[in-house]
C-alpha cells in the first residue's frame, strides 16, 4: 500500500513531498542499497533500535573549520562567517533559518571541534571539524514500512522504486585484518600517561592508536556485514566532503527529546566477549570486580553528572542506570545512563557544547585531557571519538560516539581504538583492550576486490 502525504509546509521551492510505503524491509540492506545507488552526494545512514534512516544530497549545509563556517542553502551562493562566536552557535543560527517545515539534519563533528570550542585553534589543524546537511532525500526504514521524503515528485518516485525493488542482496566476502603491528609506540604513550595520572596532573586520559588497512575496502558492504555481526547502540555509514566512514557505536554522547529530556549513555571499563557463554560470564564477573575498571567507570559517571547538572533544571540530573554490563560486538562494557531535564532557555546545542567530547573518550579534567591527547597520540583524531548525529526542527538531537569505526579519506583507510588510562593501568593490558575493541570491525572488512576468505 502506498500513501501520499501533502508537502510539508515551506517555501514553494523548498518543501518535502512524502510517501508512506507499507512494505516489508530489511532496514540495513535497503539503506545500503540507497547508498550504493549513486546520485546522493553527500549521504548518511543513521540507525538506532532497528530503524535506519538514509539521508541523501544537500538541500542546505554548514561546514566548520578552524577559520570559520561556510553555509549554503539550495542554489544560493555560499556564505562564509568568521568564528567570532562559539562554532555551535553558528550551526544553531543556520538551522533556525531553514525554510522547510519539519526538517531534519545529519552529519558529524570531529574530536577537534572540542579544541575549537575551547579556543585552542592551535590544536585543530586544517581539516573540517563539523559538517551538517539538510538532505534532499530522507528515507526512514522500519521492518514493516518505509517513509520516503524528497523535495520533488520525480525524485520521490525514483527513491520509492529503489526501496520497493525486489533484488538479491550482494554476497559479501570478508577479509579480516589479522595484523595491527606490535603497538610498541602505544605502550610507551600509555606508560607516560600513567606517570602523569600518578603525578595527579590528570584523573584519567584516553590514549588511542591508529591501525592502517592496507587494502581497498567496500565501506557499504562492511557496514552490512558488520551491523549483522554486532549489537551497537547506534550504527552509521557516511560519505561527506571527502570523508567516508562506517561504525558500530557502543554509546550515545547525547539524546535530547522534543520535551527537553536529556540523556547521555557512557561506557568505560572493558573486557573481551568471546561468544562462549561460560567464559563471557566469568569475564563479566571479573570486570564488575576489577578495581581499576570500576574506578575508571565511576569517575566518568561523576564527570557526566556534573556536566548534565550545569544544563538541567535543578535536581533533575540523576543516574538512571549504573554500571550494567552491555555486550557490544567483540567486547563487554560497564555501561551507565544519566538523564535530566534541560533548563529553561537552553537548547540541544547548549547540551552538545557542554558534553562534547565525552569524558569517556577524552579524559578528566577535560581541558588537561585535550592537551594530553594531543601530546600522547601520533596524529589528529578527526571523526574518531567525535560524533555522528541527527537533529530536527522540534529541538531534538541524537548523537552517537564515533567508535568501533572504519575511516577512509585521501586514499587512506584506517581503524582506531583507545583505552582509558588511570593510575592502575598497565600498558600491555591497555594495548590488548584496543585489540579487543578493534575486532568489532576488523573481522568484518569487505574488500573491493575478490578475496579468498569467508562469506557472509
Amino acid at each position: 500500500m502506498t500513501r501520499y502525504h501533502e508537502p510539508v509546509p515551506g517555501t514553494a521551492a523548498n518543501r518535502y513531498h512524502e510517501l508512506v510505503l507499507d512494505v516489508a524491509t530489511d532496514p540495513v540492506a535497503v539503506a545500503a542499497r540507497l547508498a550504493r545507488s549513486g546520485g546522493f552526494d553527500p549521504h548518511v545512514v543513521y540507525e538506532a533500535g532497528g530503524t535506519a534512516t538514509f539521508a541523501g544530497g544537500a538541500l542546505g549545509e554548514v561546514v566548520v573549520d578552524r577559520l570559520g563556517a561556510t553555509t549554503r542553502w539550495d542554489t544560493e551562493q555560499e556564505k562564509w562567517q568568521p568564528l567570532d562566536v562559539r562554532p555551535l552557535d553558528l550551526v544553531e543560527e543556520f538551522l533556525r533559518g531553514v525554510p522547510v517545515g519539519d526538517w531534519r539534519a545529519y552529519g558529524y563533528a570531529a574530536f577537534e571541534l572540542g579544541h575549537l570550542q575551547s579556543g585552542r585553534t592551535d590544536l585543530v589543524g586544517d581539516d573540517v571539524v563539523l559538517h551538517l546537511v539538510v538532505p534532499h532525500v530522507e528515507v526512514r526504514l522500519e521492518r514493516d514500512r518505509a517513509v520516503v521524503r524528497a523535495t520533488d515528485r520525480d525524485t520521490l518516485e525514483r527513491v520509492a522504486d529503489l526501496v520497493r525493488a525486489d533484488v538479491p542482496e550482494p554476497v559479501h566476502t570478508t577479509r579480516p585484518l589479522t595484523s595491527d603491528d606490535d603497538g610498541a609506540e602505544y605502550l610507551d604513550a600509555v606508560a607516560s600517561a600513567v606517570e602523569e595520572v600518578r603525578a595527579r596532573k590528570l584523573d584519567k586520559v584516553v590514549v588511542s592508536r591508529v591501525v592502517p588497512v592496507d587494502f581497498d575496502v567496500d565501506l557499504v558492504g562492511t557496514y552490512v556485514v558488520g551491523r549483522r555481526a554486532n549489537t551497537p547502540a547506534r550504527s552509521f555509514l557516511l560519505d561527506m566532503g571527502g570523508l567516508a566512514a562506517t561504525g558500530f557505536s557502543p554509546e550515545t554522547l547525547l539524546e535530547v527529546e522534543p520535551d527537553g529530556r536529556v540523556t547521555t549513555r557512557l561506557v568505560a571499563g572493558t573486557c573481551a566477549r568471546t561468544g562462549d557463554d561460560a567464559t563471557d560470564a566469568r569475564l563479566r564477573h571479573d570486570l564488575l570486580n576489577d578495581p581499576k575498571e570500576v574506578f575508571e567507570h565511576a569517575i566518568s559517571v561523576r564527570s557526566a553528572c556534573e556536566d548534565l547538572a550545569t544544563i538541567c533544571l535543578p535536581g533533575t540530573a540523576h543516574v538512571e542506570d549504573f554500571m550494567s554490563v552491555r555486550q557490544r560486538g567483540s567486547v563487554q562494557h560497564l555501561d551507565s545512563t544519566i538523564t535530566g531535564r534541560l533548563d529553561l532557555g537552553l537548547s540541544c546545542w547548549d547540551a552538545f557544547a557542554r558534553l562534547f567530547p565525552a569524558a569517556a573518550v577524552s579524559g578528566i579534567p577535560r581541558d588537561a585531557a585535550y592537551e594530553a591527547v594531543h601530546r600522547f597520540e601520533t596524529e589528529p583524531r578527526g571523526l574518531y571519538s567525535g560524533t555522528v548525529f541527527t537533529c530536527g526542527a522540534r529541538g531534538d538531537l541524537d548523537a552517537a560516539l564515533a567508535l568501533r569505526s572504519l575511516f577512509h579519506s585521501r586514499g587512506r583507510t584506517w581503524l582506531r581504538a583507545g583505552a582509558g588510562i588511570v593510575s592502575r593501568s598497565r600498558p600491555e593490558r591497555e594495548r590488548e583492550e584496543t585489540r579487543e575493541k578493534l575486532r568489532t570491525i576488523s573481522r568484518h572488512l569487505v574488500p573491493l576486490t575478490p578475496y579468498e576468505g569467508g562469506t557472509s
Side-chain angles (χ1 to χ4, degrees):
M1 181 177 178
T2 300
R3 288 169 282 154
Y4 285 97
H5 288 184
E6 289 300 314
V8 176
T11 66
N14 299 318
R15 61 188 185 184
Y16 286 110
H17 301 267
E18 188 173 289
L19 189 59
V20 180
L21 308 176
D22 293 322
V23 294
T25 71
D26 177 339
V28 168
V30 175
R33 185 190 309 158
L34 292 168
R36 284 197 189 281
S37 65
F40 299 112
D41 181 26
H43 62 256
V44 178
V45 175
Y46 192 82
E47 182 258 341
T51 296
T53 302
F54 173 84
L59 186 61
E61 64 183 329
V62 55
V63 180
V64 179
D65 60 24
R66 67 181 176 85
L67 299 178
T70 300
T71 60
R72 177 188 62 80
W73 183 258
D74 203 9
T75 59
E76 294 179 2
Q77 186 175 358
E78 290 184 345
K79 298 177 182 178
W80 182 81
Q81 292 177 266
L83 290 181
D84 49 7
V85 296
R86 292 188 315 175
L88 292 176
D89 289 343
L90 291 178
V91 175
E92 186 173 14
E93 178 184 350
F94 168 75
L95 293 174
R96 277 199 297 265
V98 170
V100 176
D102 199 24
W103 55 265
R104 292 206 66 80
Y106 300 82
Y108 73 86
F111 178 82
E112 282 72 28
L113 175 65
H115 296 321
L116 200 59
Q117 285 281 113
S118 62
R120 292 297 306 271
T121 56
D122 57 312
L123 302 181
V124 175
D126 296 326
D127 290 336
V128 169
V129 297
L130 183 144
H131 191 170
L132 188 65
V133 302
V134 178
H136 278 289
V137 171
E138 184 184 50
V139 185
R140 189 172 70 252
L141 297 155
E142 301 171 0
R143 285 288 176 184
D144 57 354
R145 73 169 193 160
V147 180
V148 183
R149 301 206 304 168
T151 52
D152 66 87
R153 285 277 190 180
D154 289 343
T155 302
L156 187 75
E157 293 291 353
R158 179 168 65 88
V159 174
D161 287 342
L162 284 170
V163 173
R164 293 190 195 99
D166 184 14
V167 295
E169 185 179 334
V171 175
H172 298 108
T173 301
T174 57
R175 179 177 175 180
L177 190 68
T178 56
S179 174
D180 65 359
D181 71 48
D182 62 7
E185 189 173 3
Y186 184 72
L187 294 177
D188 292 340
V190 171
S192 297
V194 170
E195 288 180 7
E196 294 202 6
V197 172
R198 290 176 178 171
R200 299 191 176 181
K201 296 179 181 179
L202 297 157
D203 293 328
K204 168 186 173 179
V205 62
V206 176
V207 181
S208 71
R209 65 190 185 99
V210 175
V211 176
V213 179
D214 60 1
F215 56 89
D216 293 330
V217 178
D218 175 356
L219 267 77
V220 178
T222 298
Y223 174 63
V224 173
V225 174
R227 177 60 186 89
R228 288 176 179 161
N230 278 296
T231 52
R234 303 287 188 271
S235 71
F236 63 85
L237 170 71
L238 65 83
D239 192 336
M240 303 182 73
L243 172 66
T246 187
F248 313 103
S249 176
E251 61 191 297
T252 56
L253 167 76
L254 178 64
E255 302 164 41
V256 181
E257 298 176 18
D259 65 0
R261 178 180 167 87
V262 183
T263 302
T264 184
R265 307 178 195 271
L266 65 89
V267 299
T270 303
C271 68
R273 182 187 180 200
T274 67
D276 177 77
D277 290 344
T279 301
D280 288 344
R282 176 180 57 78
L283 291 170
R284 280 196 300 275
H285 177 271
D286 292 346
L287 177 63
L288 284 164
N289 292 277
D290 186 316
K292 178 266 178 185
E293 302 292 346
V294 171
F295 173 76
E296 179 192 344
H297 187 85
I299 63 172
S300 298
V301 170
R302 181 190 64 191
S303 177
C305 288
E306 291 170 349
D307 285 340
L308 270 194
T310 67
I311 56 169
C312 288
L313 289 168
T316 64
H318 66 282
V319 178
E320 190 170 80
D321 179 42
F322 181 64
M323 220 167 69
S324 296
V325 177
R326 306 280 185 224
Q327 295 185 332
R328 301 296 190 197
S330 58
V331 291
Q332 304 180 85
H333 287 300
L334 298 178
D335 179 295
S336 289
T337 300
I338 303 99
T339 189
R341 185 71 56 177
L342 199 61
D343 207 347
L344 300 177
L346 298 184
S347 72
C348 64
W349 297 104
D350 295 298
F352 194 106
R354 182 60 185 171
L355 294 177
F356 184 89
V361 296
S362 56
I364 303 168
R366 186 178 275 118
D367 288 344
Y370 283 166
E371 192 275 334
V373 165
H374 183 73
R375 285 188 291 106
F376 291 139
E377 298 184 350
T378 59
E379 60 183 79
R381 287 188 174 186
L383 180 54
Y384 169 74
S385 74
T387 182
V388 178
F389 66 98
T390 178
C391 57
R394 297 184 297 163
D396 57 303
L397 185 147
D398 194 280
L401 285 177
L403 304 171
R404 318 297 183 265
S405 301
L406 173 73
F407 309 97
H408 177 82
S409 181
R410 302 187 182 106
R412 176 180 174 231
T413 305
W414 69 99
L415 305 172
R416 193 162 185 162
I421 310 305
V422 294
S423 61
R424 289 174 177 260
S425 292
R426 294 179 293 109
E428 293 79 6
R429 169 57 199 152
E430 304 304 340
R431 179 177 61 180
E432 183 57 30
E433 180 177 317
T434 66
R435 288 171 173 164
E436 292 165 356
K437 292 172 177 177
L438 288 166
R439 292 182 195 120
T440 294
I441 190 164
S442 66
R443 295 184 297 188
H444 310 296
L445 302 180
V446 176
L448 277 175
T449 54
Y451 173 73
E452 292 183 2
T455 60
S456 65

